[in-house]
Amino acid sequence: VQLQASGGGLVQPGGTLRLSCAASGSIRSIKSVGWSRQTPGKQRELVAQITWNDGKTTYIDDVKGRFTISRDNAKNSVDLQMNSLKPDDTAVYYCSAIILPTKGALQGYWGQGTQVTVSS
């Protein structure tokens, strides 16, 4: 099982970016997918999460109303739409997922990070 993240970049304050995370491989089912971010010297924090079966979403307070996480069941992918970006949103963003593979037990997976820089 692999997670492929994409969509980072440089944007001005107030701008928008859309991150995507695609899961591939021997997947039986997906339980949840999340986006986390990390800056140097700080712990990685989960900013948004979506459960696969019912689409329930959760966000940290800092991104509520600005970020939207959504899923595409057919493509096994999740997007994070980020609006009204602030310089404090600058970080490396990682997608993660709890997945049941076709063989083995339920486990967590991480994608590679994608840099988001908000700067004028």
Side-chain angles (χ1 to χ4, degrees):
V1 174
Q2 292 184 330
L3 298 180
Q4 180 69 42
S6 61
L10 171 65
V11 65
Q12 292 187 341
T16 65
L17 277 176
R18 190 175 186 90
L19 306 182
S20 294
C21 177
S24 62
S26 301
I27 297 170
R28 177 169 294 175
S29 63
I30 299 174
K31 182 175 182 180
S32 65
V33 178
W35 281 96
S36 301
R37 65 187 181 187
Q38 188 170 26
T39 55
K42 293 187 178 181
Q43 286 190 330
R44 192 174 298 185
E45 64 172 348
L46 180 66
V47 298
Q49 188 171 33
I50 186 166
T51 53
W52 207 255
N53 62 339
D54 61 5
K56 180 181 177 182
T57 58
T58 56
Y59 303 91
I60 60 171
D61 287 345
D62 185 50
V63 307
K64 282 181 181 177
R66 300 190 297 121
F67 291 10
T68 303
I69 189 169
S70 60
R71 75 193 190 298
D72 184 327
N73 293 43
K75 296 180 179 179
N76 281 348
S77 66
V78 167
D79 287 350
L80 183 69
Q81 177 67 40
M82 304 186 294
N83 299 330
S84 302
L85 282 161
K86 307 173 183 178
D88 284 350
D89 294 318
T90 296
V92 178
Y93 284 70
Y94 299 88
C95 67
S96 61
I98 307 296
I99 292 173
L100 179 64
T102 54
K103 292 183 179 180
L106 195 68
Q107 58 182 303
Y109 297 85
W110 286 93
Q112 86 285 8
T114 184
Q115 177 72 44
V116 171
T117 302
V118 185
S119 175
S120 56

mmCIF file of all heavy atoms in Angstrom, residues 6-9 17-21 35 78-82 93-94 114-116:
data_model
loop_
_atom_site.group_PDB
_atom_site.id
_atom_site.type_symbol
_atom_site.label_atom_id
_atom_site.label_comp_id
_atom_site.label_asym_id
_atom_site.label_seq_id
_atom_site.Cartn_x
_atom_site.Cartn_y
_atom_site.Cartn_z
ATOM 1 N N SER A 6 0.428 15.168 -3.265
ATOM 2 C CA SER A 6 0.825 16.162 -4.266
ATOM 3 C C SER A 6 0.088 17.462 -4.014
ATOM 4 O O SER A 6 -0.887 17.498 -3.254
ATOM 5 C CB SER A 6 0.515 15.642 -5.670
ATOM 6 O OG SER A 6 -0.870 15.406 -5.829
ATOM 7 N N GLY A 7 0.564 18.534 -4.653
ATOM 8 C CA GLY A 7 -0.174 19.778 -4.654
ATOM 9 C C GLY A 7 0.398 20.913 -3.837
ATOM 10 O O GLY A 7 -0.187 21.987 -3.800
ATOM 11 N N GLY A 8 1.519 20.711 -3.186
ATOM 12 C CA GLY A 8 2.094 21.807 -2.415
ATOM 13 C C GLY A 8 2.671 22.883 -3.306
ATOM 14 O O GLY A 8 2.696 22.754 -4.527
ATOM 15 N N GLY A 9 3.144 23.960 -2.670
ATOM 16 C CA GLY A 9 3.741 25.026 -3.444
ATOM 17 C C GLY A 9 3.840 26.308 -2.653
ATOM 18 O O GLY A 9 3.646 26.318 -1.436
ATOM 19 N N LEU A 17 -4.634 26.685 -1.997
ATOM 20 C CA LEU A 17 -3.932 25.524 -2.523
ATOM 21 C C LEU A 17 -4.801 24.311 -2.306
ATOM 22 O O LEU A 17 -5.607 24.278 -1.364
ATOM 23 C CB LEU A 17 -2.596 25.301 -1.807
ATOM 24 C CG LEU A 17 -1.366 26.096 -2.257
ATOM 25 C CD1 LEU A 17 -0.191 25.768 -1.345
ATOM 26 C CD2 LEU A 17 -1.021 25.797 -3.708
ATOM 27 N N ARG A 18 -4.602 23.316 -3.148
ATOM 28 C CA ARG A 18 -5.331 22.066 -3.002
ATOM 29 C C ARG A 18 -4.317 20.930 -2.978
ATOM 30 O O ARG A 18 -3.553 20.749 -3.920
ATOM 31 C CB ARG A 18 -6.312 21.872 -4.153
ATOM 32 C CG ARG A 18 -7.286 20.726 -3.958
ATOM 33 C CD ARG A 18 -8.298 20.707 -5.093
ATOM 34 N NE ARG A 18 -9.342 19.722 -4.908
ATOM 35 C CZ ARG A 18 -10.499 19.957 -4.269
ATOM 36 N NH1 ARG A 18 -10.739 21.162 -3.776
ATOM 37 N NH2 ARG A 18 -11.396 19.001 -4.149
ATOM 38 N N LEU A 19 -4.318 20.193 -1.893
ATOM 39 C CA LEU A 19 -3.454 19.023 -1.761
ATOM 40 C C LEU A 19 -4.255 17.763 -2.072
ATOM 41 O O LEU A 19 -5.441 17.691 -1.756
ATOM 42 C CB LEU A 19 -2.881 18.920 -0.347
ATOM 43 C CG LEU A 19 -2.152 20.151 0.199
ATOM 44 C CD1 LEU A 19 -1.608 19.854 1.597
ATOM 45 C CD2 LEU A 19 -1.042 20.571 -0.728
ATOM 46 N N SER A 20 -3.583 16.804 -2.669
ATOM 47 C CA SER A 20 -4.234 15.532 -2.974
ATOM 48 C C SER A 20 -3.424 14.373 -2.425
ATOM 49 O O SER A 20 -2.188 14.445 -2.372
ATOM 50 C CB SER A 20 -4.397 15.357 -4.485
ATOM 51 O OG SER A 20 -5.286 16.296 -5.021
ATOM 52 N N CYS A 21 -4.121 13.338 -2.030
ATOM 53 C CA CYS A 21 -3.478 12.130 -1.512
ATOM 54 C C CYS A 21 -4.173 10.932 -2.122
ATOM 55 O O CYS A 21 -5.374 10.757 -1.947
ATOM 56 C CB CYS A 21 -3.589 12.089 0.010
ATOM 57 S SG CYS A 21 -2.906 10.604 0.767
ATOM 58 N N TRP A 35 -4.758 14.625 7.130
ATOM 59 C CA TRP A 35 -3.645 15.481 6.723
ATOM 60 C C TRP A 35 -3.033 16.085 7.984
ATOM 61 O O TRP A 35 -3.763 16.627 8.829
ATOM 62 C CB TRP A 35 -4.123 16.603 5.804
ATOM 63 C CG TRP A 35 -4.343 16.174 4.400
ATOM 64 C CD1 TRP A 35 -5.531 15.805 3.829
ATOM 65 C CD2 TRP A 35 -3.351 16.051 3.379
ATOM 66 N NE1 TRP A 35 -5.330 15.466 2.510
ATOM 67 C CE2 TRP A 35 -3.998 15.612 2.210
ATOM 68 C CE3 TRP A 35 -1.980 16.285 3.325
ATOM 69 C CZ2 TRP A 35 -3.326 15.382 1.011
ATOM 70 C CZ3 TRP A 35 -1.314 16.059 2.130
ATOM 71 C CH2 TRP A 35 -1.976 15.611 1.003
ATOM 72 N N VAL A 78 -8.041 11.522 -1.405
ATOM 73 C CA VAL A 78 -8.537 12.557 -0.495
ATOM 74 C C VAL A 78 -7.883 13.875 -0.874
ATOM 75 O O VAL A 78 -6.673 13.919 -1.132
ATOM 76 C CB VAL A 78 -8.215 12.203 0.967
ATOM 77 C CG1 VAL A 78 -8.441 13.384 1.890
ATOM 78 C CG2 VAL A 78 -9.065 11.021 1.417
ATOM 79 N N ASP A 79 -8.673 14.933 -0.896
ATOM 80 C CA ASP A 79 -8.163 16.272 -1.153
ATOM 81 C C ASP A 79 -8.272 17.130 0.091
ATOM 82 O O ASP A 79 -9.187 16.938 0.912
ATOM 83 C CB ASP A 79 -8.952 16.936 -2.278
ATOM 84 C CG ASP A 79 -8.627 16.351 -3.639
ATOM 85 O OD1 ASP A 79 -7.661 15.576 -3.737
ATOM 86 O OD2 ASP A 79 -9.341 16.678 -4.598
ATOM 87 N N LEU A 80 -7.367 18.069 0.206
ATOM 88 C CA LEU A 80 -7.445 19.090 1.242
ATOM 89 C C LEU A 80 -7.440 20.439 0.539
ATOM 90 O O LEU A 80 -6.410 20.864 0.012
ATOM 91 C CB LEU A 80 -6.277 18.992 2.226
ATOM 92 C CG LEU A 80 -6.333 19.978 3.384
ATOM 93 C CD1 LEU A 80 -7.491 19.616 4.328
ATOM 94 C CD2 LEU A 80 -5.018 19.986 4.164
ATOM 95 N N GLN A 81 -8.598 21.070 0.522
ATOM 96 C CA GLN A 81 -8.717 22.399 -0.061
ATOM 97 C C GLN A 81 -8.385 23.418 1.017
ATOM 98 O O GLN A 81 -9.024 23.427 2.077
ATOM 99 C CB GLN A 81 -10.141 22.628 -0.575
ATOM 100 C CG GLN A 81 -10.390 24.009 -1.145
ATOM 101 C CD GLN A 81 -9.616 24.271 -2.422
ATOM 102 O OE1 GLN A 81 -9.490 23.401 -3.271
ATOM 103 N NE2 GLN A 81 -9.096 25.481 -2.548
ATOM 104 N N MET A 82 -7.388 24.240 0.753
ATOM 105 C CA MET A 82 -6.929 25.205 1.748
ATOM 106 C C MET A 82 -7.165 26.607 1.213
ATOM 107 O O MET A 82 -6.577 26.998 0.199
ATOM 108 C CB MET A 82 -5.444 24.982 2.048
ATOM 109 C CG MET A 82 -5.134 23.563 2.510
ATOM 110 S SD MET A 82 -3.420 23.354 3.038
ATOM 111 C CE MET A 82 -2.567 23.617 1.488
ATOM 112 N N TYR A 93 3.311 19.221 4.686
ATOM 113 C CA TYR A 93 2.041 18.543 4.912
ATOM 114 C C TYR A 93 2.172 17.070 4.517
ATOM 115 O O TYR A 93 2.729 16.747 3.462
ATOM 116 C CB TYR A 93 0.932 19.222 4.119
ATOM 117 C CG TYR A 93 0.466 20.508 4.732
ATOM 118 C CD1 TYR A 93 1.274 21.644 4.729
ATOM 119 C CD2 TYR A 93 -0.775 20.605 5.368
ATOM 120 C CE1 TYR A 93 0.871 22.825 5.315
ATOM 121 C CE2 TYR A 93 -1.191 21.789 5.958
ATOM 122 C CZ TYR A 93 -0.366 22.893 5.927
ATOM 123 O OH TYR A 93 -0.784 24.073 6.527
ATOM 124 N N TYR A 94 1.626 16.207 5.371
ATOM 125 C CA TYR A 94 1.679 14.763 5.157
ATOM 126 C C TYR A 94 0.265 14.187 5.177
ATOM 127 O O TYR A 94 -0.549 14.574 6.014
ATOM 128 C CB TYR A 94 2.469 14.078 6.268
ATOM 129 C CG TYR A 94 3.907 14.494 6.404
ATOM 130 C CD1 TYR A 94 4.271 15.583 7.190
ATOM 131 C CD2 TYR A 94 4.921 13.787 5.753
ATOM 132 C CE1 TYR A 94 5.593 15.965 7.325
ATOM 133 C CE2 TYR A 94 6.258 14.162 5.883
ATOM 134 C CZ TYR A 94 6.571 15.246 6.673
ATOM 135 O OH TYR A 94 7.900 15.610 6.810
ATOM 136 N N THR A 114 4.673 17.134 1.477
ATOM 137 C CA THR A 114 4.646 18.130 0.408
ATOM 138 C C THR A 114 4.705 19.511 1.055
ATOM 139 O O THR A 114 3.970 19.797 1.999
ATOM 140 C CB THR A 114 3.413 17.962 -0.493
ATOM 141 O OG1 THR A 114 3.474 18.903 -1.571
ATOM 142 C CG2 THR A 114 2.097 18.150 0.260
ATOM 143 N N GLN A 115 5.608 20.338 0.559
ATOM 144 C CA GLN A 115 5.853 21.640 1.192
ATOM 145 C C GLN A 115 4.794 22.651 0.782
ATOM 146 O O GLN A 115 4.493 22.806 -0.412
ATOM 147 C CB GLN A 115 7.242 22.167 0.790
ATOM 148 C CG GLN A 115 7.566 23.550 1.330
ATOM 149 C CD GLN A 115 7.819 23.552 2.826
ATOM 150 O OE1 GLN A 115 8.518 22.687 3.364
ATOM 151 N NE2 GLN A 115 7.222 24.519 3.517
ATOM 152 N N VAL A 116 4.260 23.321 1.797
ATOM 153 C CA VAL A 116 3.352 24.451 1.575
ATOM 154 C C VAL A 116 4.006 25.674 2.189
ATOM 155 O O VAL A 116 4.325 25.682 3.380
ATOM 156 C CB VAL A 116 1.973 24.199 2.211
ATOM 157 C CG1 VAL A 116 1.120 25.457 2.167
ATOM 158 C CG2 VAL A 116 1.263 23.043 1.515
#
